[in-house]
Amino acid sequence: MADIKHYRELLKTKALSCTELTEAFLSAAEKENPELNAYISITKDAALKTAAEVDAKIARGEELGPLEGIPVVIKDNICTKGIRTTCASRMLENYVPFYDATVWELLNAQGAVLIGKGNMDEFAMGSTNETSYFGRAKNPHNYDYVAGGSSGGVAAAVAGKLAAFGIGTDTGGSIRQPASFCGVYGLKPTYGAVSRYGIVAHASSFDQAGVLANSAEDTALVFDAISKRDERDMTSVGSKVSSYENLGRSIKGLKIGIASEDLVASDEEVNAAVENAKEIFKSLGAEIVEIKLPFIKDCLPVYYILACAEASSNLGKFDGVRYGYHAEDYDDVWDMMSRTRSEGFGDEVKRRIILGTYVLSSGYFDAYYKKAQRLRASITKEFDKILDTCDMILAPTVPITPLKAGAQMSPVDLYRTDICTCAVNIVGLPSMSVPAGFTENDLPVGVQLIGGRFKEDVILNAAYAFEKATEGRYIKSLEMGCGI
Amino acid sequence: MVSVDEIKRIAALAKLHLTEEETALLAEQMSSIVAFADEINNSKLPVSEEVLINEYDRTEFREDEVVPSSDVSDILNNSGGTQGNFFMVKDKAKAGRRYG
């Protein structure tokens, strides 16, 4: 299997040099990207420089770290020093950060090789990648379908073997939904497990960086590498348990909650994948318990009110003065700011800024923002009660199968597709999408495992057990990629 | 129902310059989005008096210590215009003709 362990073995046994491995990935990315559009930037020079450093280390006979020399794609809202970071927006089309985000700093220090910056929905606002200023990333399983969003480019690059693993961000499902659509693993860690420093903020109390990979083992390995406490992010806690070292434990007796009345998909192919996963977990000795989540429908409006309110505030800094797009024609400095923002932001971003400003404005603050914030506390308490009765929850990742590009859904209809993912962002729980089936037309379907706070090791171990039991048959090998 | 005037008021607060067409479209879209947001009123959950869960929403404080600041030239590097250590924005007279 083409996973991180496989690439490490190639480097360790000197079957390939790191430069050769990197060149193979770069060459595949350059070949596929004009059509797939998974990358906004391919960072060839930086990649080859790191690879040469790794090769020098190998030549000196030094042992490599677990991610040293391994090709990675980073979502383009994660700051990379000296490398353009656009957020897939005209507003930041030419923005070059002078500092690294902590998550990239950790991987860079461990010798991971940056192949490029992944395409995404503009400012991480969207579910189809179609709001990207650079055009949508396509689904590598079928180019007529969307890769999902907002971390769609990262998911497409990992599924297409144009990177060994990827780092995305998840505010309301932005790692798990594209992971499900593209047939890869996608972990949204507990809020606070991974530092947000240097990640362009969308909704600060929801945003969390996480992992997209081709196996549960790779996901655990990378999660361990990035889940460190960071003093520069006051909400950062890190993770105290190694998920990687806890893989392979028996899941006999693991209590898995299923909300078969409240958390169901509208598409029967998704429900069939959940049912199949339930039977596999049962065969592994897990105990299935029925749970009730009647408040799940409350999560969507609560999420959109609060996330848009935070986004409208976070995006206030883009005014054309200090960095980013700058309008050319204007009357005065205030007009310059308004025109900069109108020309620099796309339609979906403007829609969410308007909603966020609306719910924070005088006359509406109590009815929307304050009420949603109070319901958020109630929902958190309800989830805590549920997770006292089971170890994890099994649910659909997305209620529908991958969407066809250009589906022309209304904004509200598109928001409603976040029903299965956004609840855990409200509450801050860890959750991952696991490849678990295919549709009739051979597109991937994922199921979601939701765990208790900082219990990533539990859901990653369950995903690992599922993967072993199904012999990896839900990971499809595509006719693209580096071929190594 | 969100009116065109309401959208104009919110756009001014959000510092967004909208054309008449954009304003009309947003008024229409925002009406259905606000109706969607109104669904919080259908919630049967008890509305908590708290807005934070103290157990989880804590802030990890650190020692207050002086550390080197970022380099000023690095910070100014992405700006469209600078003068000394300041950001520079062209004034109205130099900005040229406004369009629209």
Side-chain angles (χ1 to χ4, degrees):
Chain A
M1 188 160 94
D3 57 7
I4 292 175
K5 194 193 283 175
H6 167 71
Y7 299 125
R8 278 165 66 189
E9 195 59 24
L10 291 175
L11 296 177
K12 193 176 160 190
T13 58
K14 299 185 182 176
L16 271 184
S17 71
C18 186
T19 300
E20 287 168 328
L21 181 68
T22 302
E23 280 174 341
F25 273 95
L26 283 170
S27 158
E30 283 170 341
K31 178 174 173 247
E32 302 294 345
N33 206 53
E35 189 65 26
L36 186 64
N37 207 21
Y39 287 100
I40 288 175
S41 309
I42 294 175
T43 51
K44 189 172 184 174
D45 292 346
L48 290 172
K49 184 171 174 283
T50 309
E53 287 163 9
V54 174
D55 281 334
K57 202 169 169 183
I58 295 170
R60 291 195 298 272
E62 293 175 35
E63 199 165 319
L64 298 184
L67 297 176
E68 207 151 17
I70 307 300
V72 57
V73 50
I74 303 278
K75 188 174 178 180
D76 211 20
N77 60 347
I78 298 174
C79 284
T80 43
K81 186 178 178 178
I83 295 168
R84 189 170 72 128
T85 299
T86 68
C87 284
S89 178
R90 185 185 192 191
M91 184 63 86
L92 292 177
E93 186 179 2
N94 299 306
Y95 174 65
V96 179
F98 61 87
Y99 67 104
D100 282 325
T102 300
V103 65
W104 168 235
E105 191 176 75
L106 285 165
L107 292 172
N108 194 23
Q110 292 174 63
V113 176
L114 182 65
I115 299 296
K117 303 295 295 288
N119 201 353
M120 55 185 281
D121 281 291
E122 186 182 9
F123 283 101
M125 296 179 191
S127 310
T128 62
N129 231 262
E130 289 168 310
T131 71
S132 171
Y133 178 63
F134 301 94
R136 72 175 174 101
K138 293 177 183 165
N139 192 314
H141 292 263
N142 185 330
Y143 284 1
D144 292 338
Y145 289 80
V146 303
S150 65
S151 310
V154 177
V158 172
K161 309 287 189 298
L162 308 180
F165 72 95
I167 301 294
T169 60
D170 191 314
T171 304
S174 284
I175 287 175
R176 291 159 287 155
Q177 191 256 33
S180 175
F181 280 8
C182 291
V184 297
Y185 292 78
L187 171 69
K188 197 277 307 175
T190 308
Y191 184 79
V194 180
S195 169
R196 291 176 298 111
Y197 178 77
I199 295 170
V200 180
H202 165 183
S204 307
S205 74
F206 298 84
D207 296 341
Q208 186 58 198
V211 187
L212 293 104
N214 279 304
S215 71
E217 190 175 336
D218 284 2
T219 311
L221 186 69
V222 178
F223 173 66
D224 278 0
I226 61 172
S227 50
K228 311 288 180 198
R229 173 161 151 67
D230 179 13
E231 287 214 329
R232 294 171 296 186
D233 172 2
M234 301 293 266
T235 61
S236 159
V237 178
S239 178
K240 292 178 179 65
V241 180
S242 166
S243 292
Y244 186 72
E245 284 172 16
N246 278 295
L247 293 179
R249 287 173 296 166
S250 165
I251 63 162
K252 198 171 175 190
L254 186 80
K255 277 191 180 172
I256 302 179
I258 293 196
S260 54
E261 285 176 17
D262 304 312
L263 206 46
V264 284
S266 48
D267 195 311
E268 278 312 311
E269 288 182 301
V270 180
N271 288 327
V274 175
E275 190 58 29
N276 179 49
K278 183 180 95 176
E279 292 305 319
I280 289 166
F281 280 123
K282 262 167 82 174
S283 73
L284 293 171
E287 185 189 336
I288 305 297
V289 293
E290 186 64 34
I291 55 169
K292 302 271 183 212
L293 299 168
F295 54 86
I296 207 77
K297 58 185 181 306
D298 302 337
C299 293
L300 272 173
V302 166
Y303 169 75
Y304 272 95
I305 288 168
L306 297 178
C308 290
E310 292 185 23
S312 70
S313 170
N314 279 325
L315 270 57
K317 62 181 168 273
F318 298 103
D319 56 11
V321 176
R322 290 154 296 179
Y323 52 88
Y325 178 79
H326 178 87
E328 285 301 317
D329 295 319
Y330 50 86
D331 280 344
D332 54 34
V333 71
W334 299 111
D335 190 42
M336 184 279 289
M337 288 181 189
S338 298
R339 286 174 186 275
T340 289
R341 290 165 61 75
S342 298
E343 293 166 19
F345 291 137
D347 291 341
E348 181 59 25
V349 174
K350 281 190 269 197
R351 223 170 358 248
R352 295 196 193 199
I353 290 173
I354 291 284
L355 176 62
T357 309
Y358 180 87
V359 300
L360 288 173
S361 67
S362 173
Y364 299 111
F365 179 83
D366 283 356
Y368 292 104
Y369 181 78
K370 204 167 173 184
K371 182 160 188 189
Q373 198 68 280
R374 285 180 165 168
L375 279 172
R376 182 182 199 175
S378 305
I379 291 166
T380 303
K381 287 177 187 167
E382 293 300 315
F383 257 105
D384 284 352
K385 282 187 219 161
I386 297 289
L387 284 163
D388 281 342
T389 67
C390 61
D391 299 304
M392 68 173 209
I393 299 167
L394 170 65
T397 305
V398 195
I400 53 172
T401 55
L403 287 163
K404 254 201 156 166
Q408 300 291 330
M409 291 170 80
S410 75
V412 171
D413 286 344
L414 206 50
Y415 299 166
R416 289 193 192 281
T417 66
D418 294 338
I419 179 79
C420 303
T421 48
C422 72
V424 304
N425 298 81
I426 291 173
V427 182
L429 298 174
S431 169
M432 73 183 291
S433 183
V434 176
F438 295 98
T439 65
E440 202 174 29
N441 54 353
D442 224 14
L443 291 163
V445 178
V447 297
Q448 189 177 199
L449 311 181
I450 302 168
R453 214 168 295 274
F454 296 105
K455 299 282 187 190
E456 280 83 356
D457 59 318
V458 173
I459 56 174
L460 279 159
N461 185 53
Y464 182 78
F466 180 82
E467 181 185 68
K468 291 290 167 204
T470 55
E471 297 169 330
R473 66 174 172 266
Y474 300 125
I475 286 280
K476 193 169 155 190
S477 215
L478 298 167
E479 295 289 320
M480 63 169 71
C482 72
I484 292 173
Chain B
M1 188 72 188
V2 180
S3 67
V4 164
D5 284 347
E6 188 92 75
I7 293 294
K8 284 180 179 169
R9 182 180 76 86
I10 298 295
L13 282 172
K15 289 197 179 65
L16 286 171
H17 176 93
L18 302 176
T19 62
E20 290 298 321
E21 242 176 37
E22 284 175 317
T23 306
L25 180 63
L26 270 168
E28 186 190 321
Q29 290 176 336
M30 284 301 294
S31 294
S32 58
I33 293 171
V34 168
F36 162 71
D38 280 333
E39 290 173 18
I40 57 166
N41 297 316
N42 302 334
S43 174
K44 293 196 169 53
L45 278 178
V47 179
S48 165
E49 281 306 304
E50 305 162 280
V51 291
L52 294 173
I53 305 287
N54 287 334
E55 190 186 343
Y56 308 130
D57 299 306
R58 66 188 184 283
T59 299
E60 295 279 342
F61 290 105
R62 63 183 177 209
E63 288 302 309
D64 189 9
E65 55 181 316
V66 177
V67 294
S69 147
S70 302
D71 189 272
V72 173
S73 61
D74 283 342
I75 295 170
L76 294 174
N77 216 21
N78 276 290
S79 167
T82 60
Q83 194 171 65
N85 279 355
F86 294 92
F87 299 104
M88 191 173 70
V89 178
K90 285 186 286 185
D91 70 19
K92 184 183 169 185
K94 294 174 188 165
R97 188 180 58 83
R98 171 179 156 170
Y99 63 84

